[in-house]
Amino acid sequence: MSSDEAYEVDVTPGAIANYGRVHAVTPQVAETQIRSLLEDLISEQAATEQSETGAWRIYFRKHGYGLLISEDRSHVLRYCTWHMERTWAQYRTGVTSRITGPGGMSAWKREAVTKYIPLPIGEKAVNLFARHVLGLKLTPENIDVAAEQIGVHLSKNVLPHWQRGDDEAIDDGIGNTWRLVRSEHHPDGMIVAVYATDSTSPPRQEPASEHRPGIC
């Protein structure tokens, strides 16, 4: 495909709705930004592979943005990203991630979390898992129990699948995907986010040696 074709390909209502949910934009803005992403994917010769169903995945492996295109390349079927907190345009222009890191965690949460969870973890990930899986709004009274349950869950269902890559997305088997990263400041790894597994969330990433994108 040539980059000009990005504006000739139809974008399905499902892809537009998906993008709108992820980034909280109107359908018109979603379609425009999807086409802009497709143009960049094509012009920058992003990685491309065909899925088992015949559809085409085209994605920026390093950056974590991609699209699923129909087999005949006439429709954008799905938008995929690791970065629910930033659009491709924002990421490309250097907008800082809004994912909360361990440094911003309340002291009463941090004390319990460091006791039971073996890696640094973002406060948002703790809050979301507690709310959506444990059914808890965290308080100083229940944080100890919640942190212990999260730690047990991670140790059993997430960390054993971690390949120790720099940026991985891991399915925990109960409908959630956890994002783990390694960096200069966190060489042993850090849990930065958790997503409810659906069409907007990254599936478990394959070992780095297979060069899979972990999206779409």
Side-chain angles (χ1 to χ4, degrees), residues 108 111-113 115-116 139-149:
W108 57 272
E111 182 178 353
V113 162
K115 191 190 309 181
Y116 296 107
T139 66
E141 287 71 37
N142 65 26
I143 183 60
D144 221 61
V145 172
E148 183 176 14
Q149 291 184 54

Side-chain angles (χ1 to χ4, degrees), residues 171-189:
D171 185 349
D172 66 5
I174 65 164
N176 302 288
T177 298
W178 298 79
R179 183 174 167 220
L180 288 81
V181 302
R182 291 173 69 246
S183 67
E184 180 182 347
H185 298 295
H186 297 282
D188 295 324

Side-chain angles (χ1 to χ4, degrees), residues 1 8-12 69-77:
M1 298 175 70
E8 298 174 2
V9 174
D10 289 330
V11 182
T12 63
I69 310 293
S70 62
E71 185 174 9
D72 63 0
R73 300 180 299 180
S74 64
H75 291 78
V76 175
L77 303 175

Side-chain angles (χ1 to χ4, degrees), residues 51-72:
S51 70
E52 295 177 359
T53 63
W56 295 94
R57 300 184 185 97
I58 179 169
Y59 54 87
F60 288 124
R61 180 182 291 118
K62 177 180 178 180
H63 306 303
Y65 290 86
L67 297 169
L68 190 69
I69 310 293
S70 62
E71 185 174 9
D72 63 0

